[in-house]
Amino acid sequence: MINLTLRQLRYFDALARHGHFGRAAEACSISQPALSMQIKELEETLGGLLLERSARQVALTRFGEELAQRVRDILRSVDELGDFARASRDRFAGRLRIGMIPTIAPYLLPKITKNLTRMHPELDIRVRETMTPRLIQELVEGRLDTAIVALPVSEPSLTEVALFDEKFLLVRPGADEGTPVPSREMMREMRLLLLEEGHCFRDQALSFCNMQSAPPREMLDANSLSTLVQMVSAGIGVTLIPEMAVPVETRSASVSLARFRDPQPSRTIGMVWRKTNPLARQLLQISEVVCLSAGKARPRPAARSHSA
């Protein structure tokens, strides 16, 4: 019988993710020699090399790559056992790992955290901000409990709950105040400032303008809505921002705001989590807190699951 420990599996999982002993040890809050010893013992127990070691980094062997996926599945199942126990309690307590995309987190996170702390004081809230593909990957792998994103994500293993719709506004230099609002066709002829590749908000803006991509000669990308608005303030071009970002991003910028004619561009904000997550009932309660924090109506009563 092979004797493995969850500690060894968690250490190996961290090493597989970081590809570096020092960073993996830091993530696990142990010393590098202790981590190295545990990995060595794991290799001896399994009877095979898991890593190719070099001075600067480590790479997984073929055996290590196959084991890494199995270890993630095991650790996800173990975490869900804990979630199952938590779901049986009357109160919602313990760790809650929430992911958010960058075009939501700066504007909703403070209110969500404040409301959750007030309503569920025993929660240990941990937030991860990154782009949608990474959030979905971390959800599927069990490293997040839920994520607040723009829907749909259409991942077969996840449940999606639509919360509210949000309009996009046109941001122009202050001198354009009161001038006619351009049509989506006219937008294609303007210098449209966009978030960099990978942001779903970029794709939504391009879709509204019926553009597959921005013309290379006009390409001016940024990694935040704040930078986009400041570029508009400097007279470089125009951009779109979601309603929730307006109070924060335009308070110190010399820009004008305008709404498009109907149908206005918009996105659907929602929450997603694994279909197997035992905390589904509690996460539905969290979704109501998100709506409260956004000043929107209660979420639709039924969650929907996507199939392949």
Side-chain angles (χ1 to χ4, degrees), residues 170 172 176 179-193 205-206 208-211 215 217-218 237-240 260-261:
L170 174 64
R172 299 183 289 182
D176 290 349
T179 60
V181 178
S183 65
R184 67 172 65 192
E185 291 75 19
M186 295 170 63
M187 289 287 294
R188 294 200 294 270
E189 305 301 322
M190 304 175 74
R191 174 171 283 185
L192 180 62
L193 308 179
L206 289 172
F208 169 69
C209 298
N210 292 328
M211 299 165 64
R217 61 184 175 83
E218 298 292 335
V238 302
T239 194
L240 306 181
F260 292 96
R261 302 179 187 89

Side-chain angles (χ1 to χ4, degrees), residues 133-185:
R134 172 64 68 177
L135 291 178
I136 298 308
Q137 178 184 350
E138 294 182 9
L139 267 176
V140 171
E141 293 176 354
R143 288 187 282 159
L144 288 174
D145 298 309
T146 185
I148 302 173
V149 296
L151 301 181
V153 296
S154 302
E155 164 57 48
S157 64
L158 300 181
T159 291
E160 299 182 8
V161 177
L163 302 182
F164 57 88
D165 293 329
E166 180 185 35
K167 299 290 194 301
F168 301 161
L169 276 69
L170 174 64
V171 184
R172 299 183 289 182
D176 290 349
E177 181 75 39
T179 60
V181 178
S183 65
R184 67 172 65 192
E185 291 75 19

Side-chain angles (χ1 to χ4, degrees), residues 17 33 47 57 66-67 69 78 80 102 105-106 131 138 142 150-151 178 204 245 255 261 268 303:
R17 295 186 193 285
Q57 63 180 16
E66 293 177 354
L67 182 68
Q69 184 56 56
V78 170
E80 287 183 350
M131 290 184 281
E138 294 182 9
L151 301 181
Q204 292 156 357
V255 296
R261 302 179 187 89
T268 299

Side-chain angles (χ1 to χ4, degrees), residues 94-129:
R95 182 186 64 187
L96 177 66
R97 301 165 298 176
I98 304 177
M100 296 186 196
I101 56 177
T103 56
I104 292 178
Y107 318 112
L108 276 187
L109 176 58
K111 294 179 182 178
I112 292 173
T113 303
K114 180 180 179 180
N115 286 327
L116 281 177
T117 301
R118 175 176 55 83
M119 300 169 71
H120 303 284
E122 296 184 20
L123 274 180
D124 174 17
I125 303 169
R126 305 181 187 183
V127 180
R128 167 85 159 123
E129 178 188 345

